[in-house]
Amino acid sequence: MAAISFDPSINVQINQKSHGVLVEEIEGLIRVHKNGHVERPPTIPIVPCTATSGVTAKDIVINKFTGLWTRIYVPNYSNKMPLLIYFHGGGFCVGSAAWSCYHEFLSGLASKAGCIIFSVNYRLAPENRLPAAYDDGIETLMWVKQQALSGSNEHKWWLSRCDLSSLFLAGDSAGANIAYNVATRLGSHGGTSASSGMKPLVVKGSILIQPFFGGESRTATEMHATPQVNSALTLPASDAYWRLSLPFGSNRDHPWCNPLANGTPKLRELRLPPTMVCVSEMDILKDRNMGFCNALGGAGKRVETKIYKGVGHAFQILHNSPSSHIRTQEMISHIKTFINQ
């Protein structure tokens, strides 16, 4: 969810308490004051790392200095399983691997798709603007590589169950943007694939769920989409997230926001793994996501596009429409097929 937004009006007003001018607000999720103070109301519950039926879960610190940690889900399967490195959504500004909606979704995904999942709790903007989240993604991969090479006994509980030659980068919304940009970094480090220099890890693919991209020019669905009840993403909220997360002085045609800003030839140069893109029919990002898929295909990349009818942004997390449950099971089935082909 680039953006869970229960009442996504953007306000500029005076806070009568202690922090002065309020320069950005996405109601219920984040308030940013001119003096740099940031508030994130506890709209979505934080849940402890508890095991669920058939899945062991633990929180592991990767970097105590930056606060980078991951919640690891290991289902009780006897065979070795693919590894998903998963990045949560929240417009780069909100969200947590400990949010109840992610704990529920990812424990279910691990169990039903038969995979080990690292749910990465990366640094948030505006305190840590991009590329901090991308850096945390790369650091997570390097940490996994280090544990694999050292044969760590401490981490044997997941390492011994993990097929490190079958690793996937995944995420929803802003998390899908992170997964994509981590994949492009890996592919730009030389070699013939996104896995070059990563041995024994082999990146087999990326799973981008409603990827949060933008651009200065508006798409038709951004301008004309019918507002959805409990919409997880509106255009004003989207713009606010980009203002808070991109480097100072950047606009929405920055390549981290708009991967098509430099045209298809730039995409053609990238070494990317096979990619599955999950698109929601009622999402304001639908046209932008479809354009991204078409550009990847036009650049000679292997891309699978899955469209989920009758649902909007982050349906698999929020369950905010009558068909959310059915479409979520479809998505899990598609992910299972993609990581096992």
Side-chain angles (χ1 to χ4, degrees), residues 147 150-159:
Q147 305 315 310
S150 67
S152 169
N153 283 327
E154 179 186 357
H155 298 287
K156 192 174 181 179
W157 65 277
W158 62 267
L159 265 175

Side-chain angles (χ1 to χ4, degrees), residues 160-175:
S160 64
R161 315 284 299 283
C162 194
D163 179 2
L164 296 172
S165 67
S166 187
L167 185 148
F168 293 83
L169 301 168
D172 65 287
S173 200

Side-chain angles (χ1 to χ4, degrees), residues 260 264 267 287-300 303 305:
L260 306 186
T264 302
L267 280 179
D287 284 356
R288 197 168 291 282
N289 287 174
M290 294 302 295
F292 172 72
C293 293
N294 292 337
L296 282 182
V303 58
T305 306

